[in-house]
Amino acid sequence: MAQAKPIPDLAARRGYHHGNLREALLEGAKQLVGERGPQAFTLTEAARRAGVSPSAPYRHFKDREEVLAELCRRGFTLFSQRLQAAAGGTSDAAEALRRMGPAYLAFAREEPGYYAAMFSVQSEETAGEAEKGSPFEALTGTIGALLPGGEGLAGRTPRLVAMQVWALSHGVAMLERAGMPAPESGAPAAEAVLEKGVKALLGRM
């Protein structure tokens, strides 16, 4: 098996500034998490990919869990920005929600390292990132705007419906990441599955 190459231009450097080293290690860790999953990477591998010694990560991080926590935090920040940007530019809440589906799937495809770290089992602090004014709150606000005053919720709150929409979105994204169903199976595209699923969910309210 070919050895992973260090991040371009970083392996040859030896006069790191602390900020550059930290970013290089995070980038290496993000690549590894995207390739192997959050439980299968080590700080030693991240250091190797960044082109530094195995002890270098400990100048900036206590352990691998702290690295995952930082990837989680950055991931949710970027994820929230992507969803909010997709939903922006329209005053129609239904249209905003429709635009958020493809943006959700695009993020999972384009940022597999962040996405995997975001949904890995971590501390209570990092688990809370999902609800700190991030994608979950964006979904809650959009769904609340769809049903002002809570009308038609059939006993459910916008927060509960947002959780259901998020669960559906995450499920579709994870199935696609796992290659299921296979493209040759003739199954509809992930975007179509998600759009129809969200419409069905909202239609039952």
Side-chain angles (χ1 to χ4, degrees):
M1 180 180 296
Q3 186 176 0
K5 295 182 179 179
I7 300 170
D9 298 327
L10 289 176
R13 299 180 184 177
R14 289 296 177 267
Y16 287 105
H17 295 295
H18 288 303
N20 290 341
L21 173 55
R22 189 173 192 273
E23 293 304 312
L25 291 167
L26 285 169
E27 180 63 25
K30 186 178 75 166
Q31 291 176 3
L32 288 164
V33 171
E35 294 166 8
R36 306 180 187 182
Q39 306 307 320
F41 96 96
T42 67
L43 286 182
T44 298
E45 289 176 302
R48 183 182 303 118
R49 186 156 297 195
V52 297
S53 71
S55 64
Y58 297 98
R59 301 176 196 171
H60 297 279
F61 302 102
K62 179 176 65 177
D63 51 30
R64 64 187 301 281
E65 283 68 33
E66 190 171 349
V67 174
L68 282 173
E70 179 62 14
L71 292 179
C72 174
R73 185 191 67 77
R74 292 186 179 202
F76 271 116
T77 297
L78 181 59
F79 194 31
S80 179
Q81 292 170 353
R82 294 275 188 92
L83 291 189
Q84 290 172 359
T90 178
S91 58
D92 184 337
E95 172 64 13
L97 190 61
R98 187 191 68 78
R99 293 180 183 181
M100 291 168 82
Y104 193 112
L105 294 174
F107 183 88
R109 291 168 184 152
E110 296 166 7
E111 299 289 352
Y114 279 147
Y115 195 78
M118 287 158 55
F119 296 101
S120 63
V121 178
Q122 298 178 44
S123 67
E124 292 182 4
E125 180 182 355
T126 55
E129 291 293 338
E131 298 189 25
K132 292 180 181 177
S134 65
F136 183 71
E137 296 302 333
L139 283 170
T140 302
T142 301
I143 291 169
L146 276 170
L147 299 164
E151 297 177 1
L153 287 173
R156 293 180 292 173
T157 65
R159 193 173 185 83
L160 174 58
V161 178
M163 182 62 75
Q164 293 171 327
V165 170
W166 196 350
L168 175 60
S169 303
H170 184 62
V172 172
M174 293 302 288
L175 284 172
E176 184 181 61
R177 280 171 56 81
M180 298 183 290
E184 61 270 18
S185 68
E191 283 83 358
V193 172
L194 181 54
E195 181 177 5
K196 291 180 183 297
V198 170
K199 282 183 177 179
L201 178 62
L202 297 176
R204 290 202 298 271
M205 296 189 300

